[in-house]
Amino acid sequence: MDELYLDNIDEYVNDHDKIVTYKWLSLTLGVHVNTAKQMLYHYLDHKRKESSAQLHATYLVSGKFVDKGQTSHLVSVVREDQLEDCKARMSLIVSVHVYSVQKALLRDSSPLYSVDYDAVRDHLQSCAKYSAIRCTSAVPLSSVELQQARERQPAPTPEPVVKVPSVNGEASHPSKPSTKSQKGIMGMFSNKAAPKHQDSVTEVKLEQKEVVKPEVEPPKSKAAAKVSPALNFFGNQKTKKPNKSDKADESLQSSSRLEQQQHQSSPPEKKPEAAAEESTKGSKKESRSKTKRTVDSDSEEEKMDKKKRRRIKKPEPDSSDEDIIPDSPQPMQTKEPEPEPSPPPPSPPQKEFESVSHSHSVPGGTKIRKRRRVLKPKTFVDDEGCIVTEKVYESESYSEAEDEAPVKQAPTKCSTAKLHAAGNNKEEEKKSQKKTSANTNKGTKQASIMGFFQKK
Amino acid sequence: MATLTRQDINFGQVVADILCEFLEVAIHLILYVREVYPSGIFQKRKKYNVPVQMSCHPELNQYIQDTLHCIKPLIEKNDAEKVVVVIMDKEHHPVERFVFEMSQPPVLSISPDTLLSHVEQLLRAFILKISVCDAVLNNNPPGCSFTVLVHTREAATRNMEKVQVIKDFPWIVADEQEVHMKEPRLIPLKTMTSDIVKMQLYVEERAQKT
């Protein structure tokens, strides 16, 4: 291999201040991608030995990653300082190669995508010429087939929406880009991954992908599916401004996500993602439970004017919920230090949490809290010295754990009390109801058919 | 813009819109790359088909939008010679100046068929260049703030002072100390020439920043 390429790369990096990705290099010089990667590696090596100008590099690492007992294939683009970290986290490293070389230290991965975007656009017809991914059956559709495909397309789209309703909107807030791109990568190989793949929405999206991203193996990643609610979290919280519900845009987005190639997913970055994802699950449950209103037979007594909504949390079958509870405060804290920025994201979760505590339910818990307004007789001595008994509405809250009825507003107390309480919902609720009714005068129960018999 | 006739489209307005949109994205990106504000307030959005970082802070966004809203009439009339984003240190001495020099051809002639995808590509290149500009710039001292200056041709600003385009958002003549920088170093970043505008971006950097 002649050494001219070293000068070429040098010119691009130092003189033009370009970001040289392997893909861009392969398209510009007309070489196979693997050759381009080797070129970059040699160049980096060469320059480092000379210890001349400061260069930064990003690497693409792909391998098996074990996350809570689930193995997944992780592909990520990391900065050089995070490389060793990333390699250490993987259980099996399949490939590591230089992704790009540039003079500037990149803060985020958007320029990497921009670099490839224009290069691929210019070579659109031949962008796969130098690629390492081959599929003999992948040929462009003829116009007739294209027409048929377009007609068929509306039919499958409702299906994935039904299947995975939580992954609804396209969260174009790729603050969690690595996870989103993992989902995208999986979708790209939808034929193979479909049986394993939980998230079938991306299959439809990525059918419309324009750009093929090489170097991606079909990973099986449950973590990705789990994280998709995280993206939805941001998609729901923010007002719909950057979100495009149009499918075409979504596909472009997901392809752009793919182009970004995961990102520099270092462990600290993954953690807030995981935390955010888990808090999403928590908030998802809030929203779901808010819409469910269970009507209990005992609610006759509790149909008061200002009744707060009762929440019954069904125990979720997914065991990962256990992790959700302790971690959910974390994203709140990470958001708080920001100087009153992004008010939408913190406030809706805060509002949700507040209203949760108001209605006295713990996210992910299986307890019932009720707050009701009860007619209670108040006995007092009035001005004339007569003992007067008046029936007064008091709002009281109670849980199955508490014997004492009137706790006007102590949500924290209630929740801690609830955390201590164990046991099933209905029985405890009835017990506590009976206890509270024992406290109050039986004669003050209203709207109960048995009240007639219980008077005096 | 599907079926508008030549008389309907005000080309000056179209160009001004395009440039103001671009400037908004560029200002946000400069604030992100030069770390004027913590990166937590930024989120990725899409512009010109590439991801860009935009701030979520409502007041900051409003300020930038109001600023550009006032600049737009100047651009329409081709009165704005330069739009400068000045980054200042704690003592309000300029540390860096990102200068967008723009000029429009005297007779704008855009046919309704003109595809502006070429312009989009050029603007994309600008965005990319801003993203990597910290290769050539020294780090800024902490606690910087920013402001936007407009250099206009002739006396176009007199109108601006008389008529407030946005209520309670007055423009004032810039201080001498904000405009001039000690020992500036000039670093050109990007140039573009297109049918609708010619634009140049360069950075003036103070030799000693701290």
Side-chain angles (χ1 to χ4, degrees), chain A residues 16 107-108 117-118 173, chain B residues 35 43 49 53 129 134:
Chain A
H16 301 319
R107 257 165 261 280
D108 82 326
Y117 182 91
D118 276 322
H173 308 302
Chain B
E35 292 177 328
Q43 55 156 173
N49 275 331
Q53 297 277 358
K129 212 56 190 193
D134 50 347

Side-chain angles (χ1 to χ4, degrees), chain A residues 126-155:
Chain A
S126 64
C127 64
K129 198 160 101 179
Y130 302 113
S131 162
I133 295 179
R134 289 263 175 273
C135 178
T136 44
S137 58
V139 287
L141 291 173
S142 69
S143 55
V144 174
E145 289 169 345
L146 204 59
Q147 189 70 21
Q148 289 171 355
R150 277 202 199 110
E151 284 157 20
R152 260 183 276 128
Q153 210 180 47

Side-chain angles (χ1 to χ4, degrees), chain B residues 19-126:
Chain B
L19 287 176
C20 284
E21 268 180 19
F22 165 72
L23 284 172
E24 186 174 357
V25 173
I27 292 176
H28 280 264
L29 197 58
I30 289 172
L31 296 177
Y32 174 76
V33 172
R34 301 311 293 150
E35 292 177 328
V36 179
Y37 293 114
S39 55
I41 67 168
F42 293 92
Q43 55 156 173
K44 272 197 196 159
R45 306 256 281 274
K46 191 167 88 157
K47 186 69 184 171
Y48 310 127
N49 275 331
V50 290
V52 294
Q53 297 277 358
M54 301 277 287
S55 123
C56 305
H57 195 291
E59 285 178 19
L60 174 62
N61 292 356
Q62 192 61 42
Y63 174 77
I64 294 176
Q65 274 174 7
D66 288 345
T67 308
L68 291 170
H69 190 79
C70 296
I71 295 178
K72 203 185 279 201
L74 295 174
I75 298 182
E76 258 178 74
K77 295 185 211 117
N78 200 12
D79 276 334
E81 196 180 80
K82 292 196 262 194
V83 175
V84 186
V85 180
V86 184
I87 297 180
M88 300 178 292
D89 60 9
K90 280 187 247 202
E91 291 93 34
H92 294 282
H93 296 303
V95 170
E96 268 174 13
R97 293 154 49 91
F98 284 78
V99 182
F100 294 86
E101 258 187 40
M102 53 190 86
S103 71
Q104 293 166 34
V107 179
L108 263 183
S109 58
I110 313 176
S111 70
D113 301 328
T114 305
L115 282 179
L116 293 171
S117 59
H118 182 59
V119 175
E120 185 180 293
Q121 191 173 12
L122 295 170
L123 294 177
R124 218 179 3 245
F126 264 86

Side-chain angles (χ1 to χ4, degrees), chain A residues 50 107 127 132 274 282 294 298 303 329 352 358 361:
Chain A
E50 284 181 7
R107 257 165 261 280
C127 64
T294 58
D298 294 339
K303 273 184 205 152
E352 280 190 316
H358 254 317
S361 6

